[in-house]
Each structure stands twice: as C-alpha cells, then as structure tokens.
C-alpha cells in the first residue's frame, strides 16, 4: 500500500462515551464500588478529581486568553521561553566573601546566568561579626558582610553592569543594599545600569523567617524609602521581591502561600503610594518569589492563579502602563521537601519541582542541591542542581511551547479553584485592615503554624508518603561528604578586617553620617537609603547603621504563642498515640508532675517551623512545654530553663551552629546550677557530627525525618532514666 493510500484511509468511527459511562466503568475497580471517592483532597481544601471533562470548563471566565495580554494567566510575555528561557540562578553564600566570590565565578562560567546571594544570620539581623551575640553564627548559613570592603570582595571580577544580582535580605536591607550600590560605584558601574532584585519583604519575616530587626511600622517606612530611591535612580533594579517561599517552607499550603504573598504585595503598593509615588513609577519593578514543592499540579496552578489575582489587585489602582499589572516571579525548589534519608532521592524531587516551576511560567529559578537537608551544598551537588535546569532548557524542548497546560480540563479548573480559594483569604485579610495588621495580630503566623502541624502529623502517621523516610526505607544510609564552615576562622577574619577598616576611616565623618540616619528615623523626613549610601561610602558598618536606626525604632521581639490540638487531631488515630499519652500520665503519677520540656532556638537562627511543630505535638501528647524566646544566647536559654524548672531542653537547629552553641548551653546549665537538665537536639545535623554532640553531653539527637512521637517517647525515657539515676545516687 502506498503512502498516499495509507493517508487516505479514514479513522474508524468510535463510540463517544459520556461521564455516566465512565462512572459505571470506574465504579467496578474503585474502593467500595464508589468512583466518587477517587482523587485527592488537597491541604487547601480543594478536591482534585480523578477525571476532568469539558464540563469543568463551563462558566470559567478566562479559558480563552493569550500570554502577554491581560489577565496574564498564561504568562507575562507573549513568547515566554520560546524566545528566551527563564534565568538560571544559583542561590549561595557561605563563609567569607572570598570563598563565595569563587563559587559565583565558577557558577557563571558553568552556565549560571545570575547571582543570588545568601547572607549569614548576623548580617540579616544587623550585627557586625564582632558582636558578642553572634559568635556561633558568623559565616555559617551564608556569607558574612560587615562593610563595603566585603561587598567589593564578594563581587570581585563580576561585572555588575552585566550580571543580575538577587539579594535575599530584609532586616538589614538598608546597609546591605547601600553596600552593593557603593561597591558598584567603585567598580565604575552607574546606578542606572544595575539590574537584579533586593528581597526587601519584611512582612513575611514577622510571619515565618524572623530575620527582622525593627517593629512592623518603621520597617514599612524603610521599604517605602527603598522603593522611592530605586524608582528614581535604579530603573532596571527590582526594589522588592515579595516572598511566599519562606511561608511554604514554614508550613503554609499553596493557597495560603499565594494569598498571603499577594496580600503583602498589595500592602507594599499602598506604602509606595503613600510616599507620593505614581503607581506606574514602581509597579513594573515589583517582583515575586514562590516556593515550588512536591504537589505538582497545585504548584503549576498556583503560579497561573498568581498572575490572574495580581492583575485583579493591581487593576484597583488604575495604572496606565500594562506592565504595572503583570506579576513576574522567581521560584526556588523546596528545601523542606529534601530528606536526610536516602538523599539521592532529592535529585528526583528537585527535578519534579523544577518542572512544575517551568510549566507554571517562572521568570527565574534556583534548584536546591540534594545535600541541603543536612548541610550547605558542595560544588558537586551544586553542579547537579544547576545542570538540572540546563537539561530542562537544552534537551527537552519544553521551552518550545508557551504554557502547554492551557486548555487542560484539569489545569484550567484547578487554576480557578486556586484563585478562588486564595481570594477568600485575601478578603479575610482586607477585613482586618490589611496585611500589616494581620501580621501584627499574630493571626497570619498561627494560620501557617497550624498548616505546618497538620502536614507533619500526616507524615508522621504515614498518610503522606515520603519515600525513604516513612516508606521504602534503606537499612543502611550512605554517608555524604558535606561542606563544613570553620566558624571561628571566618569570625577571626571578619573581625580583623573590621578593625583595619575602622582604624583608617574618618571616624568623625562616619559618626556624622550615622547621626543623620538617626535624625531621619526620628523625624520621618529624608530618604533612609540615600543617607545609608552616604554612610557606607565612608565605611560605616552594617552593625553601626542598624544601631543608628535601633536607637529610635528599637528591636522587635516576637511572642511565643503556639497552636494547640492540630497535631493531635490529625495524628491521634495512628498506632501508639494513646499508649504514649498513657506513659506520660504514668510519669506524672510517679514523679508528681508531668514531664516539662523547653524548646529553644539559639543564636540568630529564626527558622522556627520545627521548634513550633515539636512544641505543639509534645503539648498535645501531654508534656508541659515552654517556648524559648527567639535569638537567645546559651546563657539566656540556660537561665530560662532553670527558672522554669524544666526536665529537659530541646535545641532546634537549622543554621549549622550546633557545634558551637549546643556545647555552650550544656556548659551554661552546669555553670548556673542546672546540670541535671537533659539536653536533646533536633534539626539539620550531619550524622558525622552526632558523636561530637554526644561527647559534649547531648542525650538525644533527632535528625530530619524523625517522627515526632518517636522523639517524644525517647525524650520521656531519657528524662525518666535521668530522674531515676538522681534518686538512686541520693
């Protein structure tokens, strides 16, 4: 038969089945012969059906739109990746500016297209490296920056007029952004040539990440001044990256992340308008930052819904420029979804998450390294993470089609459901008076913490499967090579550089510049970023600028309230829950009171998802639980533990300071008369550090993936054994 004859053949007629036909067929294999039970009830309260049909598209308002045109559901640019793929970013920073600079240059040479800077916790919190509160944190979870000289080293031989720089910085945003500006000036780069993004999103810090410095109201003033300065002098630079990433990392589901992020964005727009700016002066330079987790369909729908909702929000402000209505976003694959157990599975997880970000239409992307569940990435793991994006861009031809999910019965329906669910939450926030008030009241933070507790209970009970953690576990775990930062070395290096700079600068001029910042903070007049640039040119330090503002604004102190009952409601039907509660009751009868534990964060690590979830679950089990105040020194933590007469202190650590801070808390307990208090540790701790901690006096270590009831049972037994030993010795 010729090709012509083959092509002329007609397809046979097919019998078109309807939904009722499918339902009858599906019922035969569905549990309990009920196909309506198929699908998945998402954490957002959306039912993901097993089958979608054309009927699901009826009454949807935006199923026939085009990319690059309102409402931008299909993408902010008409051609999207078919002309220019997303920007590949590598979020990194560790140890000294010299080491980070080497990493950035290698990354750019190997295909990276932009730099994303991770700063250490002292820099985030506005402390210089020689401050006594940060001895265990310098250089541990990012690069240490104290002055312009550090910035110049950080960007040495990196042309800032050509390379886009993204900086994750919120609390210490003024001196850090000013330092970058001055470093560029001294590199010979004009302000109007700088491109990139400063995160500058303080509202989410009060909800989840906690690297704030000042209270909400003055923090919003700082944001307004930065938007004003950049709108007038840095037209290619994004003045704010409104971040949902850390909300999802802290436990928020997709609709909660979406709603709170956009509500934050609306609050920042109102702040800029209150400065007297026209909406079209700045709106086109606002950007967003979302997390991409393992809920594949939801993440794609979330990004599509985000553009739709931002168009709806910005339309309220009547901009004249269509770009003011567009949502542009950076995305990062989830760090929380990475597991310590069977860690090479993380390569697959990151690939799936990267695909969701791309299908959702992100403008830039960072892919996490597979070893980041336990340590900073090595060059080996970072190369795999970067190549994941290069392979998607260069080998799959995914970039050839703009929004390939458009018209999908499921995706269009899910996008609208995600938008509707998020809009309900946004309206709830508006009824409170806006996001600043919702954050200030603590309501927003508690919503996220409740979602986190529910998620953890689902994992611990086995309802949510994590391969290699609660199902298909390995009998033996391979030991990974991890990057370790010598904190003492970094701190000594930074302190020496600080001393040298202070010795040769004009101290009187610096003090005058700092006094001008303080006066502007007090009066409300002037632009704080402009004044900080002047101070940083004179070699003022990050800590000095922060102190100049703190003298007027003060430092914000968060409350330590926690959700109750959420973990128990989800978990308590799982095996062993009631038995463990009974054992805690027996302990109370035997020793005259319930076991009392204090959950603590030490140093400048504000990531408190794990601490809050553990505190909630332990309380639901029957422990008496005290929450330590954030940012405690070991001495302060020991004092609180002794005053509260606890049996044990549990240290939650995520920022690699455990080898310094945990031995210090044990030493302080002994020094202050609390040597009988049991110390246990949980969080991101490489297994090769376990023996060091045990030798320091730690009684129990619970790494990522440890079910909370299992850790609670072990803590209970260790407290009991310790008390029994004390009674015996008497």
């Amino acid at each position: 038969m010729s090709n012509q004859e083959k092509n002329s053949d007609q397809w046979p007629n097919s019998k078109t089945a309807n939904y009722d036909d499918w339902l009858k067929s599906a019922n035969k294999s569905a549990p309990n012969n009920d196909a309506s039970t198929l699908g998945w009830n998402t954490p957002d309260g959306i039912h993901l059906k097993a089958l979608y049909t054309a009927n699901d598209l009826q009454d949807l308002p935006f199923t026939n739109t085009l990319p690059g045109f309102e409402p931008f559901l299909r993408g902010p640019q008409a051609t999207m990746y078919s002309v220019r793929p997303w920007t590949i970013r590598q979020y990194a920073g560790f140890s000294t500016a010299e080491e980070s600079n080497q990493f950035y240059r290698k990354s750019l040479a190997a295909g990276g297209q932009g730099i994303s800077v991770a700063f250490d916790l002292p820099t985030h919190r506005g402390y210089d490296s020689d401050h006594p509160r940060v001895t265990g944190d310098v250089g541990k979870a990012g690069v240490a920056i104290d002055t312009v000289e550090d910035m110049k080293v950080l960007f040495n031989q990196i042309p800032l007029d050509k390379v886009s720089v993204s900086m994750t910085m919120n609390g210490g945003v003024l001196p850090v952004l000013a330092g970058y500006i001055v470093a560029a000036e001294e590199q010979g780069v004009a302000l109007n040539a700088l491109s990139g993004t400063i995160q500058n999103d303080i509202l989410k810090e009060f909800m989840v990440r906690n690297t704030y410095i000042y209270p909400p109201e003055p923090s919003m003033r700082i944001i307004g001044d930065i938007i004003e300065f950049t709108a007038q002098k840095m037209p290619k630079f994004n003045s704010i990256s409104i971040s949902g990433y850390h909300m999802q990392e802290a436990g928020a589901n997709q609709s909660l992340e979406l709603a709170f992020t956009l509500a934050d964005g609306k609050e920042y727009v109102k702040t800029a308008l209150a400065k007297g700016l026209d909406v079209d002066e700045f709106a086109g330079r606002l950007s967003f930052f979302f997390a991409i987790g393992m809920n594949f369909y939801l993440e794609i729908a979330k990004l599509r819904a985000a553009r739709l909702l931002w168009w709806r929000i910005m339309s309220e402000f009547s901009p004249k420029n269509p770009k003011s209505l567009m949502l542009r976003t950076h995305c990062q694959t989830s760090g929380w979804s990475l597991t310590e157990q069977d860690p090479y599975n993380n390569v697959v997880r990151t690939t799936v998450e990267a695909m969701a970000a791309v299908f959702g239409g992100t403008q830039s992307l960072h892919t996490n390294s597979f070893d980041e569940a336990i340590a900073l990435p090595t060059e080996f793991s970072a190369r795999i993470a970067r190549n994941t994006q290069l392979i998607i861009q260069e080998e799959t031809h995914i970039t050839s089609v703009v929004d390939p999910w458009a018209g999908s019965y499921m995706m269009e329906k899910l996008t609208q459901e995600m938008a509707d669910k998020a809009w309900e939450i946004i309206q709830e926030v508006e009824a409170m008076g806006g996001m600043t008030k919702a954050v200030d009241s603590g309501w927003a933070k508690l919503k996220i913490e409740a979602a986190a507790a529910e998620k953890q209970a689902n994992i611990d009970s086995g309802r949510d499967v994590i391969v290699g953690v609660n199902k298909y576990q390995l009998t033996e775990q391979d030991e990974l090579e991890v990057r370790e930062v010598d904190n003492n070395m970094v701190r000594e290096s930074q302190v020496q550089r600080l001393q040298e700079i202070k010795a040769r600068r004009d101290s009187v001029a610096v003090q005058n510049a700092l006094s001008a910042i303080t006066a502007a903070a007090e009066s409300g007049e002037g632009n704080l970023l402009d004044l900080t640039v002047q101070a940083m040119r004179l070699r003022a330090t990050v800590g000095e600028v922060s102190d100049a503002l703190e003298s007027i604004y003060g430092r914000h102190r968060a409350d330590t309230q926690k959700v109750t009952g959420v973990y128990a409601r989800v978990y308590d039907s799982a095996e062993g829950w009631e038995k463990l509660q009974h054992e805690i009751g027996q302990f109370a009868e035997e020793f005259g009171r319930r076991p009392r534990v204090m959950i603590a964060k030490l140093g400048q690590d504000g990531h408190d998802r794990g601490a809050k979830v553990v505190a909630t679950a332990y309380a639901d089990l029957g422990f008496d639980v005290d929450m330590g105040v954030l940012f405690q020194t070991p001495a302060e933590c020991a004092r609180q533990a002794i005053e509260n007469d606890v049996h044990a202190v549990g240290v939650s650590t995520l920022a690699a300071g455990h080898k310094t801070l945990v031995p210090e808390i044990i030493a302080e307990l002994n020094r202050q008369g609390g040597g009988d208090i049991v110390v246990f540790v949980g969080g991101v701790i490489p297994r090769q550090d376990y023996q060091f901690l045990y030798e320091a006096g730690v009684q129990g270590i619970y790494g990522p993936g440890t079910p909370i009831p299992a850790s609670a049972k072990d803590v209970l037994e260790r407290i009991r054994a310790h008390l029994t030993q004390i009674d015996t010795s008497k």
Side-chain angles (χ1 to χ4, degrees):
M1 184 184 291
S2 69
N3 286 336
Q4 186 175 357
E5 289 174 318
K6 287 179 183 178
N7 292 336
S8 67
D9 285 350
Q10 296 296 310
W11 286 97
N13 292 327
S14 65
K15 180 182 178 182
T16 303
N18 59 32
Y19 182 79
D20 290 338
D21 295 328
W22 174 83
L23 193 60
K24 289 177 184 177
S25 178
N27 280 338
K28 294 176 183 177
S29 56
N32 302 317
N33 297 319
D34 183 5
S36 65
T37 62
L38 300 176
W40 176 46
N41 293 317
T42 76
D44 310 74
I46 296 170
H47 180 62
L48 193 68
K49 300 193 300 181
L51 178 71
Y52 288 81
T53 70
N55 290 334
D56 289 294
L57 299 186
Q58 292 180 3
D59 302 323
L60 294 187
F62 300 110
T63 56
N64 193 27
T65 67
L66 291 171
F69 294 87
E70 297 180 33
F72 309 107
L73 184 150
R74 300 189 62 188
Q77 288 92 33
T79 54
M80 290 297 288
Y81 309 145
S82 63
V83 171
R84 181 185 175 190
W86 67 93
T87 300
I88 298 173
R89 291 195 180 276
Q90 197 91 29
Y91 178 59
F94 38 80
S95 181
T96 62
E98 288 88 349
E99 280 198 58
S100 296
N101 172 261
Q102 291 176 15
F103 183 92
Y104 297 149
R105 285 160 60 185
K106 288 180 181 177
S107 174
L108 291 170
Q113 296 156 348
I115 294 171
S116 291
V117 183
F119 297 94
D120 73 351
L121 291 169
T123 306
H124 276 289
R125 295 268 295 143
Y127 292 115
D128 287 334
S129 298
D130 59 358
H131 198 284
R133 297 193 72 87
V134 302
T135 53
D137 294 306
V138 177
K140 291 298 284 187
V143 60
I145 297 293
D146 293 313
T147 70
V148 168
E149 296 304 321
D150 293 326
M151 279 289 189
K152 290 172 69 175
V153 172
L154 188 67
F155 297 118
N156 182 38
Q157 297 185 47
I158 295 173
L160 294 179
D161 55 343
K162 296 181 176 65
V163 175
S164 171
V165 175
S166 173
M167 293 177 283
T168 301
M169 177 52 60
N170 301 286
V173 63
L174 283 172
V176 167
L177 180 54
Y180 162 74
I181 288 169
V182 175
E185 285 178 351
E186 297 185 7
Q187 199 184 84
V189 179
L191 274 173
N192 61 11
L194 293 175
S195 64
T197 305
I198 187 80
Q199 193 164 100
N200 193 26
D201 175 10
I202 201 63
L203 286 175
K204 73 98 167 53
E205 296 295 330
F206 296 111
M207 284 187 274
V208 290
R209 193 161 170 258
N210 299 312
T211 58
Y212 45 70
I213 302 175
Y214 319 108
E217 188 174 339
S219 296
M220 293 297 286
R221 188 264 171 102
I222 290 170
I223 285 171
D225 282 6
I226 290 172
I227 293 174
E228 179 183 51
F229 182 97
T230 54
Q232 294 171 354
K233 300 183 179 181
M234 301 169 69
K236 295 169 64 177
F237 197 83
N238 299 323
S239 56
I240 190 167
S241 176
I242 305 148
S243 174
Y245 182 86
H246 302 98
M247 296 180 201
Q248 188 178 141
E249 290 290 282
N253 56 44
Q254 279 75 19
S255 60
L256 202 58
E257 175 197 7
L258 176 57
F260 284 174
T261 304
L262 298 186
D264 281 352
K266 185 174 183 179
E267 197 83 344
Y268 296 138
V269 170
K270 291 191 289 187
T271 298
L273 293 175
K275 294 286 294 182
L277 296 174
D278 181 88
V279 66
D280 288 318
E281 281 187 83
F282 65 87
R285 302 312 307 171
L286 302 179
S287 69
F288 288 80
F289 175 26
F290 287 105
I292 304 295
M294 286 298 288
N295 292 337
F296 185 75
Y297 296 139
L298 293 185
E299 294 294 5
I300 299 170
K302 180 184 75 182
L303 295 185
R304 299 175 91 244
R307 291 189 290 270
L308 182 65
L309 290 178
W310 188 243
W311 164 79
R312 183 177 184 178
I313 289 169
M314 290 305 294
S315 295
E316 298 175 21
F317 300 105
S318 303
K320 297 179 177 62
N321 188 339
K323 289 185 177 181
S324 298
L325 299 163
M326 294 178 182
L327 180 144
R328 296 161 301 110
T329 190
H330 170 69
C331 289
Q332 180 173 337
T333 60
S334 174
W336 188 83
S337 71
L338 304 179
T339 66
E340 176 190 30
Q341 296 88 343
D342 208 355
Y344 293 108
N345 289 343
N346 294 333
V347 177
V348 181
R349 292 186 178 102
T350 296
T351 303
V352 170
E353 291 167 351
M355 295 277 281
V358 170
F359 282 138
T362 189
Q363 278 60 70
S364 64
L365 179 62
H366 164 82
T367 33
N368 286 331
S369 301
F370 70 84
D371 52 358
E372 288 187 62
I374 51 174
L376 291 166
T378 62
E379 287 191 24
F380 169 72
S381 66
R383 177 168 54 86
I384 292 174
R386 184 172 57 249
N387 286 352
T388 299
Q389 293 194 57
L390 290 170
I391 289 166
I392 295 173
Q393 277 193 1
E394 303 284 351
E395 296 186 23
T396 65
H397 299 283
I398 284 173
T399 59
S400 301
V401 179
V402 179
D403 189 22
W405 284 88
S408 158
Y409 301 146
M410 180 274 297
M411 188 53 67
E412 297 291 10
K413 179 68 171 178
L414 187 57
T415 297
Q416 189 63 49
E417 288 179 318
M418 182 67 68
D420 292 342
K421 185 67 68 172
W423 189 253
E424 289 177 16
I425 301 169
I426 291 170
Q427 294 302 96
E428 197 172 353
V429 169
E430 286 295 295
M432 294 182 185
M435 203 62 194
T436 300
K437 291 185 177 178
V439 167
D440 214 12
S441 70
W443 173 83
K445 186 175 182 67
L446 286 175
K447 291 280 283 186
I448 293 173
E449 289 175 4
E454 184 174 335
K455 175 65 175 177
Q456 190 61 51
N458 275 319
I459 293 172
D460 289 346
S461 64
R463 292 185 185 91
D464 288 357
V465 172
I466 309 294
V467 173
V469 175
N470 62 4
K471 197 172 183 180
Y472 313 114
Q473 298 99 326
L474 291 176
T475 53
E476 291 185 15
Q477 298 287 338
D478 294 333
E479 189 169 298
L480 286 178
E481 175 191 353
V482 298
R483 182 188 294 274
E484 184 169 358
V485 173
D486 185 340
N487 164 245
N488 291 325
M489 181 276 292
V490 177
R491 189 170 186 272
E492 288 171 4
S493 171
Q494 289 297 119
V495 170
Q496 181 179 352
R497 185 178 289 164
L498 267 171
Q499 292 172 342
E500 292 171 355
I501 290 168
K502 288 181 178 180
R504 64 175 185 259
R505 70 184 185 180
D506 185 337
S507 298
V508 174
V510 170
Q511 190 53 54
N512 289 339
L514 294 170
S515 296
I517 293 172
T518 300
E522 186 171 27
S523 68
E525 298 178 359
N527 185 286
L528 291 173
L529 178 55
D530 188 31
L531 292 168
T532 304
V533 169
Q534 296 175 43
M536 297 300 283
R537 282 194 190 110
L538 296 167
R539 281 4 184 214
T541 71
V542 167
E544 288 170 338
V545 170
S546 300
D547 288 345
L549 293 165
E550 186 183 341
S551 66
I552 303 300
Y553 295 152
R555 270 193 181 259
H556 179 72
R557 292 181 68 86
D559 59 43
T560 55
Q561 59 184 320
K562 59 182 182 295
V563 297
T564 58
V566 175
Y567 188 96
R569 173 175 53 79
V570 177
Y571 186 92
D572 66 5
S573 62
E575 184 180 355
W577 181 264
E578 290 184 359
K579 184 175 183 294
L580 184 52
Q581 285 184 314
H582 179 68
E583 290 176 9
I584 291 171
Q586 285 183 319
F587 179 99
E589 290 178 9
E590 183 178 349
F591 294 100
R593 62 181 179 126
R594 293 189 294 175
R596 190 179 188 92
V597 299
M598 175 179 165
I599 306 299
K601 299 287 296 183
L602 299 178
Q604 299 305 306
D605 175 14
H607 294 80
D608 62 351
R609 172 182 181 158
K612 287 292 185 71
V613 170
V614 168
T616 294
Y618 276 35
D620 287 353
L621 277 165
F623 283 83
D624 281 332
V625 179
D626 296 321
M627 284 297 300
V629 178
L630 281 176
F631 312 121
Q632 285 184 314
T633 65
E636 291 165 343
C637 179
R639 191 177 311 119
Q640 182 181 346
I642 293 167
E643 289 174 354
N644 290 3
D645 194 21
V646 303
H647 294 109
V649 172
V651 179
S652 172
T653 176
L654 287 166
H658 52 274
K659 291 180 74 172
T660 302
L661 296 169
V662 173
E664 285 184 18
I665 179 65
I666 293 172
E668 282 293 336
L669 286 169
N670 288 324
R671 188 180 68 80
Q672 296 184 36
D676 59 339
I677 294 175
V678 172
V679 175
F680 61 96
V681 185
V684 178
I685 306 166
R687 288 191 174 272
Q688 46 265 55
D689 291 350
Y690 280 21
Q691 190 58 38
F692 171 87
L693 294 175
Y694 283 134
E695 290 174 359
V698 171
Q699 293 290 302
I701 302 174
Y702 314 107
T706 304
I708 293 178
S711 73
K713 181 174 177 58
D714 191 57
V715 168
L716 180 67
E717 290 173 354
R718 291 178 186 279
I719 292 173
R720 180 188 294 277
H722 195 62
L723 291 176
T724 302
Q725 183 181 13
I726 291 173
D727 287 344
T728 303
S729 65
K730 289 179 181 177

